[in-house]
Amino acid sequence: MNDFTIKQSFILADELATIAMGNQLADIVKNELKQGVVVFLNGDLGAGKTTLTRGFVQGMGHIGHVKSPTYTLVEPYDLPEWQVYHFDLYRLADAEELEYMGIRDYFNNSSCSFIEWPEKGQGMLPAPDIIIDLAYHDEQRQILLHAKTALGERLLSRLVK
Ligand code: ADP
Ligand code: MG
């Protein structure tokens, strides 16, 4: 059991609500935490992991498309004050491959990582600040956010619907 007990849960009515949630996470990181976070994203295909990440990446200041890095494993966004990394490890055959990608260099105070299918990178990823579970809820989605570090707790405590 850990000491970080904050959990938040919301119903996301549609794609725009999922994007808005990603935008809000970005606003809190940029304006209040002022340091990078590591986020693990769990949920079935189509649950909204990439959509949420798109909201975050655009909220951090990226203008333009956010494509799913299913085949490239990671899509980097080099923004003026931040690096944002969107990982999708679905097709990763062996976590060791991440070592060859130089994954250790990806994580620092001014980088944010949103990681889909983190279990595929087990042993090679830093501990997450928050874990997000996305699930189908009829035509909508449910999002559950759990804080795993003090930083994650600060992030979630500022989150409002
Ligand atoms: P994942 O990365 O988890 O596989 P995607 O984000 O690629 O999922 O796809 C999610 C799909 O569900 C998209 O078609 C998107 O339009 C839709 N979607 C996203 N958020 C919601 C929501 N809150 N309610 C209903 N549909 C959503
Ligand atoms: Mg995806």
Side-chain angles (χ1 to χ4, degrees):
M1 218 175 101
N2 66 51
D3 299 319
F4 304 102
T5 52
I6 290 196
K7 284 185 192 172
Q8 296 253 43
S9 173
F10 304 103
I11 297 299
L12 302 170
D14 54 22
E15 179 170 359
L16 282 183
T18 305
I19 302 254
M21 179 63 61
N23 285 168
Q24 194 189 153
L25 290 168
D27 284 342
I28 297 168
V29 167
K30 281 187 307 187
N31 302 326
E32 303 193 50
L33 302 186
K34 299 182 170 137
Q35 62 174 295
V37 292
V38 175
V39 176
F40 283 8
L41 296 161
N42 298 322
D44 293 340
L45 284 174
K49 303 180 296 295
T50 295
T51 305
L52 182 75
T53 304
R54 184 187 316 137
F56 182 80
V57 168
Q58 292 174 338
M60 291 300 285
H62 171 72
I63 296 166
H65 287 285
V66 173
K67 55 183 179 189
S68 192
T70 304
Y71 293 95
T72 51
L73 297 177
V74 62
E75 191 66 36
Y77 298 90
D78 201 7
L79 303 169
E81 292 178 49
W82 297 94
Q83 293 87 49
V84 179
Y85 298 107
H86 177 197
F87 291 90
D88 180 345
L89 304 182
Y90 188 67
R91 287 176 192 277
L92 185 69
D94 184 345
E96 293 278 301
E97 273 180 53
L98 295 173
E99 182 93 64
Y100 306 127
M101 281 171 58
I103 191 158
R104 285 170 211 284
D105 299 335
Y106 285 70
F107 306 109
N108 60 62
N109 271 349
S110 63
S111 75
C112 290
S113 293
F114 272 53
I115 307 172
E116 300 185 42
W117 304 99
E119 64 271 29
K120 302 257 185 180
Q122 208 168 34
M124 299 301 297
L125 300 174
D129 295 298
I130 62 175
I131 297 180
I132 295 179
D133 296 316
L134 283 153
Y136 286 82
H137 184 84
D138 299 325
E139 298 296 302
Q140 307 181 333
R141 301 292 185 270
Q142 182 180 36
I143 185 170
L144 222 109
L145 309 100
H146 317 243
K148 292 302 205 179
T149 63
L151 184 64
E153 199 162 65
R154 282 170 55 209
L155 175 55
L156 292 199
S157 67
R158 286 162 173 80
L159 197 63
V160 291
K161 177 65 210 235

